[in-house]
Every structure is written in structure tokens, then in C-alpha cells.
Amino acid sequence: MQIYLPIAEISVNLFFLVGIGGAIGFLSGLFGVGGGFLLTPLLIFSGVPSPVAVASVTGQVAAASTSGALSYWRRGGIDLQLAMFLVMGGVLGAALGVWIFDLLRFLGQLDLAISLGYLIFLGSIGTLMLIEAVRSLIRSRKAGPVQRRLPGQHNWVHGLPLRMRFKRSKLYISVLPVMGIGFLIGIVGSLLGIGGGFILVPALVYILRVPGAVVIGTSLLHVLAVMAVTCVLHATLNQSVDILLAFSLMVGSVVGAQFGASAGQYLRGDQLRALLALIVLGVAIRFALSLLLTPEDPFSMAVLSFGESI
């Protein structure tokens, strides 16, 4: 069943889109991540233009984060004060990221920037995750317990100025690193079409020492708010959000996430991290090949509107 995506200007099989959404939803439920960093590359590899893939996935990520954020809100698992400063920094970063996105598109370098961004980003993250997972697997075979730094312990971040008390998280820290983390993730999310939750959660735990009881819910609220703003900015400034594409992916991801959550109960945490690292590295290698190998058709033709640069 073929459907026409008006913004992407291509015809795609509806069941293929729902299947992609289901596969990413399965991985999201299996690994506990948003899946945007895998969904956007998969759409690009399937022929969806990079600007449309990045912009449309932001809407899908925002919608997918809503149910989780509401669930943690009802259970009191969100630090609203901390989330407010994260969102403030994230919105500023998203605005800057969308401006850079539009500039790169005008210069004709957006596809190259997205491919390089994913290659560097996923390559480094995947390598670090794989190293950590292998070390965890090795440590699990030894008898001695592993000492780790826990939330609540202090580091250099707690000595910065403009400190504020976050009662729900039981922290007294500067708002500068909080907004800085949100700002950086906002830029990356708007440029690459990712929610950034798999970066934000470790940053909150290991840099700010946010307790685990509120870290996931606070992260989800940040992703929801920042991705919603990013989606609106992409739609109004770049006209690159394909609602039909985002909705088709959303339907599949909701169903797939349920099966992924059930399957994740049969694997240990270190095994899940190792498997996710291999998937991330596989996507990074695919981007590397697309940059190094000569394309089958090195030239393309497109109808440009009046006044649009080539």
C-alpha cells in the first residue's frame, strides 16, 4: 500500500513505515532509549531526504515521550524545578540548532553535516558503550563488588556560582551546568533529530548527581518539551516536518515498544548495553561507507522554487 509523503516528495509503502516504527519501538522498549538516533539514520538510508527525516523524527520523539512523562508525573518522579532550567537551556540550544540547520541547508552542506555528525557522534558513543559493557561483563565474572561513585556525592560542578536548591532532587548546585547540559542536547537534537535522553540521563547522574528516583522522569520531560519546540521551529522555519511520515512511525513505535519491554526482561543489563553498542557502531559504519564509497548516481535533479539557491 503506497502512500505519498507530501513534504518528503516520495511514495513509500505504508506497512514499511509502520514496520520501521515498530522495529525502533521494539529497540526502544528493549534498551530503554528514545530511538531517534536510530530512526533518523534508518529513514535516510531508506531514501527519505535528510532534512525531512531529521525534522519529522523530532515530532515522533516528542509524541513518544509524552506517555512516559505523564506516567512519571503521576508517580512524582519528576523534579519540575530542575526540568525547568534544563528546558530553558534546551530551547535556546534548539533555536540555535535550527538556525544552523537552516544555514547548512542554504549552503548545500546539510547532508554532509548530518552524515559526519552521526558518524562522529554514534562512533564515539558506541565505542564507549561497548568498552563499558565489556568491562561490566568481565567484572560480573569476578567475586569482588565494584565501587562506583553514587548520586549525592560532590564534584567540581557543585562549586560553581549561581547555586540553587532543588528540593525534589535534594541538590544544592549551580544552574549553569544544568542549563549548559540542556543547551548542548538541544543543539544536537535539532541538528540530528534525536531526543538525547541516552546522553542526558548519564549526564544528570554522573555530573549533577541527580537521584535515580527522578532522573528518568526529568529527562523525559526535557525531551518532550525541547523536541516539541524543535518540531514547531522546523515546521515554521524550514517547512520540513512531514506529519504523515511522523504519524505512521508513531503508530508502529507504540506497538513495538510493548514487545521490546517484554523481551528486555530476559537479558541482563550488561548484555543489553553490549548489544545496543554493536547496533550503534553498525549505524556509524554505514554512515562511514556512505561518505567513502562512490554513489551509484553522483548527480541528481530537483525542481527549485523561485529565488531558491542551487
Side-chain angles (χ1 to χ4, degrees):
M1 179 179 178
Q2 295 290 117
I3 61 171
Y4 181 73
L5 302 178
I7 304 300
E9 297 181 342
I10 59 173
S11 295
V12 184
N13 189 288
L14 175 61
F15 298 108
F16 174 72
L17 290 179
V18 175
I20 290 179
I24 297 302
F26 179 83
L27 294 176
S28 300
L30 182 65
F31 300 117
V33 296
F37 67 101
L38 294 175
L39 182 56
T40 302
L42 192 56
L43 290 176
I44 294 174
F45 299 152
S46 301
V48 177
S50 299
V52 179
V54 170
S56 300
V57 167
T58 59
Q60 192 271 345
V61 171
S65 303
T66 303
S67 60
L70 289 174
S71 176
Y72 279 95
W73 166 267
R74 288 192 294 266
R75 290 184 291 175
I78 297 179
D79 187 327
L80 288 178
Q81 189 180 9
L82 181 64
M84 179 185 68
F85 285 99
L86 284 171
V87 170
M88 288 173 58
V91 169
L92 293 176
L96 177 59
V98 171
W99 179 80
I100 297 174
F101 184 97
D102 189 51
L103 177 62
L104 291 172
R105 189 177 185 180
F106 176 78
L107 297 176
Q109 301 299 320
L110 181 59
D111 289 348
L112 176 61
I114 291 176
S115 296
L116 285 175
Y118 267 108
L119 174 60
I120 297 172
F121 183 71
L122 295 182
S124 58
I125 293 295
T127 301
L128 292 174
M129 288 176 60
L130 184 60
I131 293 174
E132 191 276 335
V134 171
R135 288 178 177 174
S136 180
L137 286 170
I138 295 175
R139 288 195 300 262
S140 64
R141 298 183 179 181
K142 298 181 180 180
V146 179
Q147 298 295 330
R148 293 184 178 180
R149 300 179 71 182
L150 302 175
Q153 295 178 343
H154 294 282
N155 55 24
W156 61 271
V157 171
H158 295 77
L160 295 176
L162 299 179
R163 284 182 289 181
M164 180 176 293
R165 190 173 302 280
F166 298 93
K167 297 181 180 179
R168 185 68 183 84
S169 298
K170 299 179 181 180
L171 295 174
Y172 182 60
I173 58 175
S174 170
V175 299
L176 297 179
V178 177
M179 296 186 64
I181 291 173
F183 180 78
L184 292 177
I185 293 179
I187 294 177
V188 174
S190 58
L191 284 175
L192 301 181
I194 61 176
F198 68 106
I199 308 173
L200 180 57
V201 170
L204 293 178
V205 172
Y206 295 108
I207 298 179
L208 302 183
R209 304 289 186 249
V210 178
V214 298
V215 67
I216 297 180
T218 304
S219 172
L220 283 172
L221 183 57
H222 171 269
V223 171
L224 167 61
V226 174
M227 287 296 100
V229 171
T230 302
C231 182
V232 172
L233 290 175
H234 275 303
T236 54
L237 298 179
N238 303 319
Q239 293 80 44
S240 53
V241 177
D242 197 310
I243 299 298
L244 187 57
L245 172 62
F247 181 76
S248 301
L249 296 171
M250 201 183 307
V251 171
S253 64
V254 170
V255 177
Q258 304 301 317
F259 292 97
S262 300
Q265 299 176 1
Y266 300 97
L267 295 174
R268 298 202 315 267
D270 47 9
Q271 294 174 334
L272 287 173
R273 292 194 298 272
L275 183 57
L276 178 59
L278 292 175
I279 295 175
V280 171
L281 287 176
V283 176
I285 292 172
R286 176 61 177 82
F287 271 109
L289 292 176
S290 67
L291 291 172
L292 296 176
L293 297 180
T294 303
E296 296 181 1
D297 187 4
F299 302 99
S300 62
M301 298 179 62
V303 179
L304 302 178
S305 61
F306 179 77
E308 184 176 355
S309 62
I310 300 178

